[in-house]
Structure formats: C-alpha cells, structure tokens
Amino acid sequence: MNRFDTAPGRPLWLTTLADLSLLLVGFFVFLQAAQAVDKRALTAGIRAGFDAQPIPMTVDRAVIDGFAAGSAALPAGTASSVDFVRGAAADRRIAVTLTGGTDGDVDPATGSAAILATDRARAVAALLVREGAATPAQIAFAPPGTGGRGVFIDLGFAGERQAVADRQAPLAAPADGAEK
C-alpha cells in the first residue's frame, strides 16, 4: 500500500459533512439559549472578564484650545466651555471625559508630549471642579492624543435608563380639589 491509496472506512467528505452539521446545530442551540439570557448580566460578565469599565455614550463635545507651545497654563476665553459643561453636567448621570492633546510640542521639563497633554487635561479638570461645573466623580481622563494644543471635553451619558413611570409627567390634581 503506498501513501496515495485511500484508507478503508468512511469517505473524508462524510466526516466534513458531519462536522459542519454539528456546528450548525450548535449555532441554533446558541441562538435559542441566548433569547432567555439577561443581557445586562451577560454584558457585565463580559466586561468583568476583560476588566473593562462601561464607556459612556458620547452626547456632545467641546474643546478648549489655544494653549501656548510647551505650556499647560489655561488660555483665555474658557468661560463658554465651563458654562457648556455646567449646563450638561448638572445631570449627575453625565460623565465628563477629558483628552489632552499636543501638536508636537513637548513638556519643557521632561521632553514628553504625553506628559504635557495630560497636564493640560488636568488643568481643565481643576478648572471645571473649581468653577463647580462638574464633580470630581464625573470626570475621567482618556489617553493623551495628538492633533492640536487643546483639551477635548466629551460629555457622555453614563447613567441608567429611567423607568417609564419616571419619564411621564405627573397627573395634575383637579382644580376644584374634588376627586373625579
């Protein structure tokens, strides 16, 4: 018997067909089982398995730009950005994510663009907390970026959905005080 002779037994295509059939059956079993799964618990389990925090859904964005080259000192004209954050972050379900950026300039003491971008984001965070626009618990930092000497402010919804009863307007009491 040489190596090109077929071995006795089932043909190879039958084994492949059986494998594909079992995969198809397994897929349909998975689909059926996934209908009864608590999606929040499944999502939380996957996030916990990868040590990931939920990412707030971005609803609006602003930027504070105009930082001097190599500096983290706040530029003039930040009042409108502070008011923008104050208006949105009054709802405590809003998360404020700050991303500092550079356009190639570096921190003069360390020679690092990442440290300079982070210092800029920290300066904006301190401004927002000092002015009462956001609480420290609402503020998070994203990894430093490139593309400009500024800080991007992302406002994201990080809260839970309200119950339907909470979203409905309360029923007004009858004007004459009598129940109907």
Side-chain angles (χ1 to χ4, degrees):
M1 173 182 248
N2 66 27
R3 64 182 195 172
F4 297 110
D5 290 338
T6 58
R10 296 185 183 98
L12 189 57
W13 65 266
L14 188 59
T15 304
T16 304
L17 179 65
D19 288 343
L20 290 175
S21 299
L22 285 174
L23 285 172
L24 189 62
V25 167
F27 176 71
F28 285 119
V29 168
F30 173 76
L31 285 179
Q32 188 65 28
Q35 291 178 357
V37 172
D38 180 13
K39 290 175 181 38
R40 286 182 187 244
L42 178 64
T43 303
I46 290 171
R47 283 190 179 130
F50 289 102
D51 293 328
Q53 296 298 320
I55 298 172
M57 179 179 67
T58 301
V59 293
D60 212 345
R61 177 176 249 201
V63 65
I64 295 179
D65 56 359
F67 284 87
S71 173
L74 290 168
T78 59
S80 62
S81 296
V82 171
D83 290 339
F84 166 75
V85 172
R86 181 180 290 118
D91 181 353
R92 296 303 177 208
R93 298 175 297 167
I94 297 296
V96 181
T97 304
L98 303 174
T99 307
T102 63
D103 63 355
D105 57 332
V106 295
D107 180 56
T110 62
S112 171
I115 290 176
L116 178 60
T118 303
D119 286 345
R120 288 174 177 165
R122 289 178 53 227
V124 171
L127 172 70
L128 294 176
V129 171
R130 184 173 59 246
E131 295 293 325
T135 65
Q138 288 177 289
I139 297 176
F141 296 94
T146 58
R149 283 185 268 163
V151 175
F152 290 100
I153 304 169
D154 290 325
L155 300 178
F157 182 76
E160 295 293 323
R161 290 184 176 194
Q162 292 177 321
V164 173
D166 293 340
R167 291 192 310 253
Q168 293 176 345
L171 298 174
D176 59 2
E179 293 195 26
K180 295 186 179 184

